Amino acid sequence: NFLLRRLLFPFEYLIQRRLEKTTNYNRGSIRVVHIFIWFFCIFSLMFATAPLIFFHEPLENHTTLLLFITYYCMLAPFCFWFQPRNLKQ
């Protein structure tokens, strides 16, 4: 059903499958964990700039890549917040 979402966000899909098995398909707890993953992704973006700062590379030269990483990390967990009722496959 959600092949495009699986292909675009494979790590989030693996987290989703693991959460489903761990919480016995409890939608509320899965949603809460995805919200925490969203915050974790936003705060982990600091690590994307660490190599640039370490090698004294100006951040202005890499704005497009950093924005792509930012929006990808923000969009991935958000796509998994809203699930249909029957997730068992």
Side-chain angles (χ1 to χ4, degrees):
N1 285 337
F2 301 102
L3 181 63
L4 183 63
R5 188 170 57 183
R6 274 188 241 171
L7 292 175
L8 288 176
F9 311 112
F11 185 66
E12 288 292 325
Y13 178 72
L14 292 175
I15 291 172
Q16 173 78 20
R17 298 300 295 168
R18 180 65 60 160
L19 285 173
E20 288 172 354
K21 291 178 184 174
T22 305
T23 63
N24 199 16
Y25 297 92
N26 185 354
R27 292 181 58 166
S29 60
I30 292 172
R31 213 174 265 172
V32 167
V33 172
H34 276 299
I35 291 170
F36 285 127
I37 289 171
W38 186 80
F39 285 115
F40 177 74
C41 288
I42 298 304
F43 289 125
S44 66
L45 286 173
M46 293 182 291
F47 298 114
T49 60
L52 298 174
I53 293 170
F54 179 74
F55 291 114
H56 303 291
E57 188 72 24
L59 295 177
E60 302 86 42
N61 296 346
H62 304 282
T63 304
T64 53
L65 180 64
L66 291 174
L67 283 175
F68 174 76
I69 292 171
T70 303
Y71 287 120
Y72 181 82
C73 287
M74 289 174 66
L75 184 65
F78 188 72
C79 286
F80 283 89
W81 282 359
F82 306 103
Q83 296 286 331
R85 286 239 177 245
N86 190 3
L87 295 176
K88 295 180 183 179
Q89 292 181 357

